[in-house]
Amino acid sequence: MQEILSKYIPERAVLPVFELIKIHGVYLKIVNERVTRHGDYRRMPDGQHQITVNVSLNKYRFLITLIHEIAHLVAFEKYGRRIKPHGKEWKHTFQVLMLPFIRPEIFPQEVLPYLARHFKNPKASSDTDAHLSVALKKYDPATDKNYIFELPPGATFRIYNGKVFKKGNKRVKRYECVEISSGKVYLFQPNAEVEQLE
């Protein structure tokens, strides 16, 4: 298991993550990319704790996602199944589990301030934290995708499911974008990855 983990997470995180997996009886499954989520925790009918994480994540995002999912398991075990999946009990558990990893031996120096800020009040997805998401993206393989905030006003773009939109104005944090085929207005996070069209 340690050998497998070393392919997906930073080297200095392998041993402590392996210990967490062992202590909590996690069955880790590395799966093909899912657009809607980076990872998933599920208690199986036989009582086994299964965590899935997308194979396509860079090692820093993989580590954050894995600890995020282990935090679900630990929070449910400690506080019961009736808690909100991303409520205060999960947030506290995620903070406690993640704290030992927020170090320069594990994460790049330029990512650490964004991680520290994010973990003051962790969100359901690190992708909703635009600053952290952009900092982590630097370690992804190069793609032909852009962030919404990088596109000029009025630019047209395609999302993962093939739908085409036109970028509009920024509201408080998100951008209003019009779906070309229906004329409906949707709100997009500034760090949503899209394919710009000519």
Side-chain angles (χ1 to χ4, degrees):
M1 174 58 88
Q2 291 181 56
E3 201 175 302
I4 292 166
L5 284 172
S6 66
K7 294 178 187 173
Y8 297 103
I9 63 175
E11 189 181 326
R12 297 293 287 273
V14 170
L15 199 56
V17 167
F18 177 66
E19 289 302 316
L20 281 174
I21 287 172
K22 217 165 58 176
I23 290 165
H24 298 291
V26 171
Y27 169 60
L28 177 61
K29 197 172 168 186
I30 299 161
V31 298
N32 289 332
E33 183 174 9
R34 296 160 296 183
V35 177
T36 56
R37 64 180 64 165
H38 293 314
D40 185 64
Y41 161 67
R42 192 172 295 152
R43 186 171 182 167
M44 306 307 278
D46 64 1
Q48 187 177 44
H49 301 290
Q50 177 182 283
I51 288 176
T52 61
V53 181
N54 289 0
V55 70
S56 58
L57 302 179
N58 71 47
K59 60 186 174 180
Y60 307 113
R61 201 181 296 272
F62 194 104
L63 175 59
I64 294 166
T65 302
L66 181 53
I67 302 300
H68 172 126
E69 301 306 336
I70 292 173
H72 281 301
L73 184 169
V74 173
F76 284 138
E77 295 278 299
K78 184 173 181 181
Y79 301 103
R81 295 249 155 214
R82 292 178 182 227
I83 62 169
K84 291 182 179 174
H86 296 107
K88 63 180 189 221
E89 299 87 355
W90 171 80
K91 286 182 184 217
H92 175 72
T93 306
F94 193 15
Q95 288 168 324
V96 169
L97 290 175
M98 194 65 200
L99 195 59
F101 297 100
I102 303 175
R103 302 191 342 244
E105 306 89 69
I106 294 175
F107 283 95
Q109 196 67 47
E110 65 269 17
V111 174
L112 288 171
Y114 299 108
L115 273 174
R117 192 174 313 128
H118 178 78
F119 278 96
K120 284 181 181 169
N121 184 20
K123 306 282 185 277
S125 169
S126 59
D127 282 352
T128 56
D129 182 333
H131 298 292
L132 178 58
S133 184
V134 170
L136 290 170
K137 182 166 175 22
K138 291 177 185 166
Y139 302 93
D140 289 344
T143 67
D144 59 352
K145 302 260 192 296
N146 293 83
Y147 286 129
I148 293 259
F149 76 82
E150 297 173 318
L151 303 181
T156 56
F157 62 89
R158 182 182 295 125
I159 62 172
Y160 69 92
N161 62 8
K163 292 185 178 183
V164 177
F165 294 83
K166 184 175 186 177
K167 181 181 172 183
N169 295 324
K170 189 176 185 183
R171 277 202 189 169
V172 180
K173 290 184 178 177
R174 298 183 288 177
Y175 288 91
E176 290 182 344
C177 300
V178 178
E179 184 182 8
I180 302 295
S181 64
S182 69
K184 287 183 182 174
V185 176
Y186 291 84
L187 294 176
F188 281 82
Q189 291 282 0
N191 60 314
E193 286 188 274
V194 298
E195 178 191 348
Q196 185 174 0
L197 304 173
E198 295 307 318

